[in-house]
Amino acid sequence: TKVQIGNHTVGGEQFSVMAGPCAVESYQQLAETAAAVKQSGAHILRGGIFKPRTSPYSFQGSGVEGLEIMQAVSAEFDLPCITEVMDTDDIEAVLDGVDAIQVGARNMQNFRLLRAVGESGKPVLLKRGIAAKVDELLLAAEYILDAGNPNVILCERGIRTYETATRNTLDLNAVAYLKQRSHLPVIVDPSHGTGVREFVAPLARAAAAVGADGIMVEVHHNPEKALSDGHQSLYPKQFTELMQQVTAIAEIMGRTI
Ligand code: PEP
Ligand code: MN
């Protein structure tokens, strides 16, 4: 299955790169970051406006105001965009403003939300839950397909294991398994998968080598000032280097970027 997000096709010959900040914070922040990732060759702009945060006292996202920023920056830099919905009510709010919808790890088994994004017809990036088995991810995807939406992309973003050295354990077995068991495109998120800036590039390279259809990476023009996930966000310069490395590996795997 190939999934069209704006002018970009996920799951085809091209290795897809989705990049941008964890959260949309301001026009200046998103525009500076978008300019940098576009310059380095990213295909899709990511950025959360509704943020599922572990603590209710953490930044919760900029909501509808952030959506307007996302739309403006997406148009300005000719980058299709993706943002997360946390609730069925959020879908209508973002429907006309974004090119794809993300269902986050915490909502992988929110079955009403899955059916609703299915009914929306928008391309959906479905992230694996932190304690979900791959077969449960596939059945969650089935809810979206069954609601009449064939445009589903699976995303491995790390799971919780006994290992605490990194935020999560990126399960690349799952990528190999999903590529064999499913026709849906598979994307790897090494940012949440490791939670450590220095490990994002190595695992992005591994994702290209294991046969993923693309990556989703957090990049911030000024990570020290980020309102969420700054510790795992790449500096634009690091992202440029990552793109060069991933391009070389993708080529070995028979893909363009
Ligand atoms: C995100 O992509 O910003 C995010 C919250 O990811 P996850 O659902 O994988 O934690
Ligand atoms: Mn994040």
Side-chain angles (χ1 to χ4, degrees):
T1 292
K2 294 179 185 160
V3 177
Q4 194 67 32
I5 300 184
N7 57 15
H8 179 77
T9 307
V10 180
E13 200 200 306
Q14 242 183 325
F15 184 82
S16 302
V17 179
M18 309 180 183
C22 180
V24 175
E25 299 167 9
S26 68
Y27 173 81
Q28 192 237 354
Q29 172 245 14
L30 192 64
E32 280 196 36
T33 305
V37 300
K38 171 85 182 188
Q39 167 89 22
S40 302
H43 308 107
I44 291 165
L45 180 65
R46 66 145 285 147
I49 59 173
F50 305 117
K51 294 303 301 176
R53 304 305 300 281
T54 301
S55 165
Y57 309 117
S58 301
F59 177 59
Q60 302 284 303
S62 49
V64 181
E65 203 183 305
L67 179 65
E68 283 166 17
I69 294 171
M70 190 96 188
Q71 266 179 286
V73 172
S74 165
E76 190 177 333
F77 294 94
D78 191 25
L79 278 171
C81 63
I82 180 166
T83 203
E84 176 170 354
V85 291
M86 285 167 51
D87 190 273
T88 51
D89 290 345
D90 299 339
I91 299 171
E92 209 188 297
V94 305
L95 207 53
D96 295 329
V98 298
D99 301 286
I101 289 175
Q102 178 173 319
V103 173
R106 293 158 187 81
N107 274 311
M108 189 203 84
Q109 285 188 319
N110 182 338
F111 300 116
R112 289 232 173 98
L113 184 62
L114 295 175
R115 281 213 185 276
V117 294
E119 282 157 15
S120 80
K122 278 267 165 187
V124 179
L125 179 96
L126 176 63
K127 291 189 140 195
R128 181 184 183 184
I130 61 167
K133 301 201 276 185
V134 274
D135 286 334
E136 291 166 337
L137 171 62
L138 287 171
L139 285 169
E142 211 63 38
Y143 271 87
I144 305 170
L145 301 171
D146 185 54
N149 188 349
N151 305 305
V152 181
I153 301 164
L154 305 172
C155 180
E156 164 59 37
R157 48 77 74 205
I159 51 172
R160 189 162 285 180
T161 67
Y162 55 78
E163 182 56 76
T164 55
T166 49
R167 182 179 181 180
N168 289 297
T169 297
L170 192 66
D171 180 11
L172 294 177
N173 288 8
V175 180
Y177 181 89
L178 290 167
K179 285 303 294 175
Q180 194 190 78
R181 285 289 306 276
S182 173
H183 55 89
L184 299 173
V186 181
I187 294 282
V188 170
D189 171 353
S191 303
H192 295 89
T194 63
V196 183
R197 179 180 301 129
E198 286 68 33
F199 303 155
V200 172
L203 273 301
R205 299 196 296 266
V210 81
D213 294 290
I215 48 175
M216 172 180 262
V217 180
E218 287 184 341
V219 182
H220 196 289
H221 76 295
N222 187 2
E224 282 77 32
K225 292 275 157 64
L227 297 181
S228 66
D229 283 351
H231 57 92
Q232 68 191 30
S233 299
L234 297 185
Y235 291 92
K237 187 169 167 290
Q238 290 178 305
F239 181 69
T240 306
E241 283 164 20
L242 174 152
M243 284 297 285
Q244 287 161 355
Q245 297 168 347
V246 167
T247 300
I249 294 169
E251 272 168 19
I252 292 170
M253 295 302 292
R255 308 186 87 137
T256 56
I257 192 157

